[in-house]
Structure formats: C-alpha cells, structure tokens
Amino acid sequence: MAVPKRRMSRSNTRSRRANWKAAPVTTSACPQCRSPKLPHAACGVCGTYKGRQILDV
Amino acid sequence: MPQPTKGARLGGSPAHQRLMLANLATSLFRHGKITTTEAKARRLRPYAERLVTFAKRGDLASRRRAIARMTDRDVTHDLFDEIAQRYTNREGGYTRIVKIGPRKGDNAPMAVIELVEELAEAPAPKRKKATRKAAKAEAVEALAGGDDETVPATTTEAAADDAKAEAEAEADESDTAEESGDKADDK
C-alpha cells in the first residue's frame, strides 16, 4: 500500500485547507411573500408553490 | 439484458423495497398528501399512479393486484370506491410532487407528494392516428381534384419570381464586384 514518505508541513496543510470554502445557497424571491426561498421548491415562510398552498403555516 | 428500475434503490433488499413502496402508497391514499424524502416520492409516483389506474379499471383482478401492492385492504377499497371516481376525467398524472427543501438533522431533500384535485371537465380528446390519416387523405384529395389549373399557375409564378430574384442577386453581385474593382483602382 502506498504511504506518504514525509510528514506534511503545517503550512502545506493549511494552504490546502484554505480552499475549503462554503458557497452561498442560491435563492429566489417568493412571488407570494417576496422572501428568499430555494428555487423550484415551496416557500418556507408562506408555504406556497406556483400559487398553491403546499405547507401548513 | 435486465433493465434496472428507474430511481433510487430503497431499503436493503427487494422485499424491503416492495414493502416500503406498499406502505408509502397506503399512506398516500389514506391521507391524500404525505411528506417524505424526494427519492421516495419519486419512486412512489409511478407506483401510486399504477394503482389509481387499477382502481379506475375497477374489476376484481385489478382489485386483487392492488391489494397485493398495498398494506391495508380498507384503504384499497377506499381507493377503488372514492378516489377512482375523482379521476375519471384524467388520463394519468394523478399525483404531484413539490420539493420543500432539506430536512433538519440529515439534510435530506424532502418533498410533499399529494393526490391532485378533481378535473371539472374532460380534456379535449387527443387526435387518434386514424383520424389524422383521414384528414391527410382529405387534404390530398382536395389538392388533386378541382385545383388542376391553379397548381401549375402557381408553380410558373414561383418560377418567374425565382428567375427575377436570381437576376437581382446577379445584378447585386456585379455591382459589388464593380465597387470592389473601383476600390482596387483607387488604391
């Protein structure tokens, strides 16, 4: 089995991990209540999708 | 070659998967609307719509097949007696899936699957192949009979137009050629 020959330096580890970034979630405005919601999903605030009440609020 | 089932594999074994789909379908027909993961909803949709088709057929063989695919006989009978009547005007598409975002805890994408509402009037009947063929035959007859004179006339006109257009195009080309020649001379 292949194993690392050298210990990786703290700097190398940290510079590798510096690229682990969280991306913001894409949202779209709810046509009913204008609050941000996930695209192609029911709005969590007013519970509607395409003019239909999907969730009980 | 065996064709794999579309969608996610649910549960651990085929038996587990069958039972899970049967339970989901039973819950859906009992409550009319259930919240589940998106993968399960996507697997359930064709399964449940198949059951509605059985219910609309309504004979004993269909009833037995539906009972074998659900876990509660009472719900099956409700499906055959009540739900099937609601969908006499529909030709499929008896369920609706709406995504509602990820679940808290394991971030699983969740969805609501529900039975759609009744359709007030039947949709316009789709054109059958036979009627389409008949319409085509009629059109051909109309063209062939009676309009013998007009057809050649239009073709000759079209030919004349084409000739005119070609002449114009040639003229344009010659103009441009002359212009370019002039430019060359200027240089």
Side-chain angles (χ1 to χ4, degrees):
Chain A
M1 198 177 81
V3 288
K5 187 170 186 177
R6 295 251 172 237
R7 177 198 160 93
M8 204 179 188
S9 73
R10 200 163 65 179
S11 159
N12 265 339
T13 306
R14 285 175 182 174
S15 67
R16 173 167 45 84
R17 287 187 189 157
N19 289 309
W20 296 357
K21 290 165 199 153
V25 177
T26 319
T27 56
S28 60
C30 171
Q32 204 80 20
C33 63
R34 314 307 305 169
S35 58
K37 68 170 192 70
L38 289 173
H40 309 289
C43 174
V45 176
C46 61
T48 57
Y49 184 63
K50 294 205 168 164
R52 267 197 198 89
Q53 194 68 33
I54 303 297
L55 303 168
D56 304 322
V57 181
Chain B
M1 208 177 126
Q3 188 86 24
T5 315
K6 262 190 187 174
R9 306 279 92 79
L10 308 177
S13 60
H16 189 185
Q17 186 166 300
R18 272 200 300 276
L19 203 52
M20 224 177 214
L21 284 171
N23 278 328
L24 281 167
T26 309
S27 302
L28 176 63
F29 291 125
R30 183 178 289 143
H31 301 289
K33 179 181 189 175
I34 56 172
T35 307
T36 179
T37 61
E38 202 190 323
K40 280 180 190 161
R42 298 248 175 251
R43 280 302 302 279
L44 176 60
R45 194 220 290 257
Y47 193 92
E49 297 200 354
R50 203 80 212 288
L51 289 172
V52 175
T53 310
F54 284 147
K56 280 172 79 174
R57 214 175 288 154
D59 54 355
L60 185 60
S62 309
R63 197 177 284 258
R64 285 180 176 154
R65 289 176 82 177
I67 286 169
R69 281 161 178 76
M70 288 165 77
T71 50
D72 191 337
R73 267 163 190 264
D74 296 341
V75 178
T76 313
H77 294 314
D78 283 349
L79 166 68
F80 274 65
D81 300 336
E82 288 157 31
I83 298 172
Q85 254 95 68
R86 277 165 53 185
Y87 295 134
T88 45
N89 283 344
R90 278 190 192 270
E91 296 179 339
Y94 311 115
T95 58
R96 176 186 301 130
I97 297 176
V98 178
K99 287 178 263 188
I100 56 170
R103 171 163 65 188
K104 204 169 188 182
D106 64 354
N107 211 27
M110 300 296 283
V112 168
I113 179 165
E114 60 189 338
L115 294 171
V116 299
E117 57 281 346
E118 208 168 336
L119 212 59
E121 71 238 24
K126 277 185 190 164
R127 255 201 201 170
K128 290 276 157 58
K129 228 176 189 179
T131 57
R132 224 164 150 187
K133 214 175 234 177
K136 206 176 179 185
E138 275 173 26
V140 167
E141 271 175 29
L143 279 178
D147 295 0
D148 281 336
E149 288 172 14
T150 56
V151 171
T154 50
T155 50
T156 49
E157 270 174 28
D161 284 345
D162 281 348
K164 216 185 249 176
E166 271 172 25
E168 278 171 13
E170 274 171 20
D172 287 344
E173 273 170 24
S174 58
D175 285 349
T176 51
E178 278 170 21
E179 276 169 23
S180 59
D182 291 345
K183 274 176 195 169
D185 290 345
D186 289 344
K187 277 174 191 173

